[in-house]
């Protein structure tokens, strides 16, 4: 049996942009992606602390050390610049693997989304 387990989390980042006319996804500062072990194209669950919205899309890298967190395409309608998000990825693993697994948890600076 395989179960879904939190693989990584970027906790409390501020939305820097929303681009309705982009083809879709979430742009994440590549430094944050690396710190959380998120790869380009990986499915990301987005939890908006400001309005309670929960949605899924895929990650694309943004410029390093930019603090960029931009929701693109239809997801742009679910956020506003300045909203606080939690970004979560999951992995499937056996129960024994899950008991030993330690997720990557990232807590960036809430003001600029950078790693301190």
């Amino acid at each position: 049996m395989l179960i879904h387990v939190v693989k990584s989390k970027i906790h409390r980042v501020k939305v820097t942009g929303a681009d309705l006319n982009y083809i879709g996804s979430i742009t994440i500062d590549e430094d944050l992606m690396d710190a959380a072990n998120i790869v380009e194209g990986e499915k990301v669950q987005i939890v908006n602390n400001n309005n309670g919205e929960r949605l899924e899309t895929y990650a694309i890298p943004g410029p390093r050390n930019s603090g960029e967190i931009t929701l693109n395409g239809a997801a742009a309608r679910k956020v506003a610049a300045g909203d606080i998000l939690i970004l979560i990825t999951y992995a499937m693993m056996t129960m024994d693997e899950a008991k030993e697994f330690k997720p990557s948890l990232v807590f960036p600076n809430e003001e600029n989304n950078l790693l301190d």
Side-chain angles (χ1 to χ4, degrees):
M1 172 176 60
L2 297 177
I3 61 171
H4 289 266
V5 176
V6 172
K7 179 181 95 49
S8 55
K9 178 168 83 166
I10 301 175
H11 191 73
R12 296 186 62 85
V13 287
K14 188 182 295 185
V15 174
T16 59
D19 185 354
L20 185 61
N21 294 312
Y22 194 82
I23 58 172
S25 67
I26 181 170
T27 304
I28 305 170
D29 177 324
E30 197 166 4
D31 286 340
L32 293 175
M33 288 178 63
D34 288 349
N37 292 317
I38 297 172
V39 298
E40 185 172 356
E42 185 170 357
K43 183 165 82 170
V44 178
Q45 181 182 39
I46 300 163
V47 180
N48 187 327
N49 282 2
N50 291 77
N51 63 20
E53 291 282 355
R54 296 172 86 89
L55 61 116
E56 292 178 342
T57 189
Y58 60 93
I60 60 172
R64 288 188 180 280
N65 201 38
S66 66
E68 182 175 358
I69 300 291
T70 300
L71 275 290
N72 303 302
R77 295 196 183 275
K78 304 290 187 178
V79 300
D83 282 359
I84 300 296
L85 307 180
I86 299 170
L87 310 178
I88 308 164
T89 66
Y90 300 88
M92 293 181 64
M93 56 188 76
T94 67
M95 187 69 76
D96 288 338
E97 289 171 325
K99 288 177 182 178
E100 300 295 321
F101 182 75
K102 300 292 183 233
S104 298
L105 306 176
V106 178
F107 300 89
N109 180 315
E110 279 187 50
E111 292 304 311
N112 59 17
N113 296 336
L114 299 179
L115 300 171
D116 290 330

